[in-house]
């Protein structure tokens, strides 16, 4: 489910998740989206460790040692 166009206009950004390979975590994401998801309710604490930060990932990639 994507944020509505009006939510995007209000500055609501998509939330990217990783580590969704278990039914439990996937169910938590589904429940969060059903409760309002991005722009409606905050990401629950139990999902916080699954949120990906693309900007941080790019920084980590820049710091990585080059492959030999």
């Amino acid at each position: 489910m994507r944020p509505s166009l009006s939510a995007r206009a209000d500055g609501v950004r998509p939330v990217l998740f990783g580590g969704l390979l278990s039914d439990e975590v996937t169910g938590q994401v589904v429940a969060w989206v059903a409760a309002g998801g991005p722009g409606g309710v905050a990401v629950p604490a139990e999902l916080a460790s699954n949120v990906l930060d693309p900007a941080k990932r790019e920084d980590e990639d820049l710091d990585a040692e080059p492959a030999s």
Side-chain angles (χ1 to χ4, degrees), residues 8-66:
R8 290 296 297 262
D10 290 339
V12 175
R13 305 296 303 161
V15 178
L16 305 175
F17 290 99
L20 300 179
L21 295 178
S22 75
D23 290 340
E24 179 182 350
V25 176
T26 301
Q28 291 170 350
V29 172
V30 169
W32 173 66
V33 170
V41 291
V43 174
E46 59 268 11
L47 288 174
S49 65
N50 295 87
V51 174
L52 300 177
D53 181 353
K56 184 177 178 184
R57 174 67 185 202
E58 288 176 14
D59 290 345
E60 289 172 357
D61 288 346
L62 292 175
D63 292 337
E65 291 291 323

